[in-house]
Amino acid sequence: MKKLIAGNWKMNGSLAANEALVKAMLEGLGGAVPAADMVLCAPAPYLAQLGGLLRDSPIAWGAQDVSAHEQGAFTGEVSAAMLRDFGCRYAIVGHSERRQYHAESDVTVANKAQRALAAGVTPIVCVGETLAEREAGQTELVVKRQLAAVIHVVAHCTSEIVVAYEPVWAIGTGKTATPEQAQQVHAVLRAQIAAATQHPERVHLLYGGSMNAANAASLLAQPDIDGGLIGGASLKAADFLQIVGSAR
Ligand code: PGA
């Protein structure tokens, strides 16, 4: 399976900055087929711009969140069908920043994943423990609980999701999980997926949390790490391309 490298721009960018960044990435690729599948997840207002810039390119685009509802009186929310309208192939759901700052529960995250799938958008489901949970020896318990909620709701579509293991203590902190720490959790998640679907090999298991050009190769060399979800380093074309290049 080809690896998947997803950039999470978070709340960064502008029309001008996005255009410069995307053009630098496309120039850097130079028309070659990338070593990994690539996706850029932008703030919702810029999805149309990405659609224009990335059309006929090997880079897909995605959103950073999606509503748990289909349509209607949900002011400020963006539905999965709207994302699909803009050619979005992916939507991050359950990022720890959404769980933390918007009090998203496991059930809400599961419903978001389900809405995305129903509209033909691949959810990138984020799971991960806080530092306190890791220190209390609860890492496996937490990530399994978070993933179980999603598997329960998406059921026979489990093979169509992407899962990103993002230890909260590693996000934006410069503290990466060691390849061994990440692999240990990925193996647990892989087993959980294998128990839930007949096609576990279709599910990409991404690692996220301070992944960068220097540490990507050793993380991506782990047997159960099928790609990365990259925050800070996805805002620099050269760094992001180097991560993609190390995904062989
Ligand atoms: P980071 O963010 O690479 O900046 O740590 C990863 C993420 O939050 O998805």
Side-chain angles (χ1 to χ4, degrees):
M1 177 169 60
K2 210 168 174 184
K3 287 189 165 48
L4 174 66
I5 304 293
N8 174 12
W9 288 357
K10 309 197 180 189
M11 199 171 72
N12 294 292
S14 66
L15 286 172
N18 301 346
E19 184 170 344
L21 180 57
V22 168
K23 285 194 167 159
M25 284 187 193
L26 292 174
E27 265 169 40
L29 287 176
V33 178
D37 289 333
M38 295 171 69
V39 51
L40 299 177
C41 296
Y46 295 122
L47 293 175
Q49 183 196 18
L50 279 195
L53 290 169
L54 295 173
R55 184 161 300 121
D56 299 325
S57 87
I59 308 180
W61 57 99
Q64 298 173 8
D65 184 30
V66 64
S67 178
H69 305 283
E70 190 174 5
Q71 61 169 42
F74 300 101
T75 302
E77 298 211 19
V78 175
S79 76
M82 293 170 188
L83 297 181
R84 190 66 222 174
D85 246 359
F86 280 90
C88 257
R89 290 193 24 221
Y90 296 89
I92 297 171
V93 300
H95 190 281
S96 62
E97 287 151 17
R98 304 280 325 166
R99 292 181 191 260
Q100 190 180 346
Y101 307 139
H102 298 269
E104 290 191 7
S105 67
D106 292 344
V107 172
T108 301
V109 172
N111 289 336
K112 289 182 171 201
Q114 169 72 355
R115 286 286 173 213
L117 286 170
V121 174
T122 300
I124 301 175
V125 177
C126 300
V127 300
E129 81 288 0
T130 63
L131 186 58
E133 288 164 341
R134 172 163 283 265
E135 286 174 346
Q138 294 174 340
T139 298
E140 284 190 21
L141 197 78
V142 169
V143 298
K144 283 170 84 171
R145 187 201 73 221
Q146 291 172 332
L147 183 56
V150 173
I151 290 173
H152 177 71
V153 171
V154 307
H156 66 277
C157 294
T158 296
S159 65
E160 294 167 37
I161 68 173
V162 171
V163 177
Y165 168 55
E166 298 208 308
V168 179
W169 48 271
I171 293 177
T173 57
K175 284 186 202 140
T176 323
T178 64
E180 295 72 25
Q181 280 174 323
Q183 167 57 30
Q184 205 173 11
V185 178
H186 278 235
V188 168
L189 295 172
R190 179 80 75 205
Q192 190 177 4
I193 290 163
T197 167
Q198 290 178 337
H199 298 289
E201 75 286 353
R202 291 187 191 159
V203 178
H204 281 91
L205 272 181
L206 314 184
Y207 168 79
S210 299
M211 197 194 259
N212 58 38
N215 62 28
S218 57
L219 285 158
L220 294 168
Q222 298 300 310
D224 290 305
I225 300 185
D226 309 319
L229 180 55
I230 322 295
S234 73
L235 297 170
K236 294 181 202 133
D239 290 23
F240 193 64
L241 289 177
Q242 203 172 325
I243 296 170
V244 171
S246 54
R248 279 169 202 289

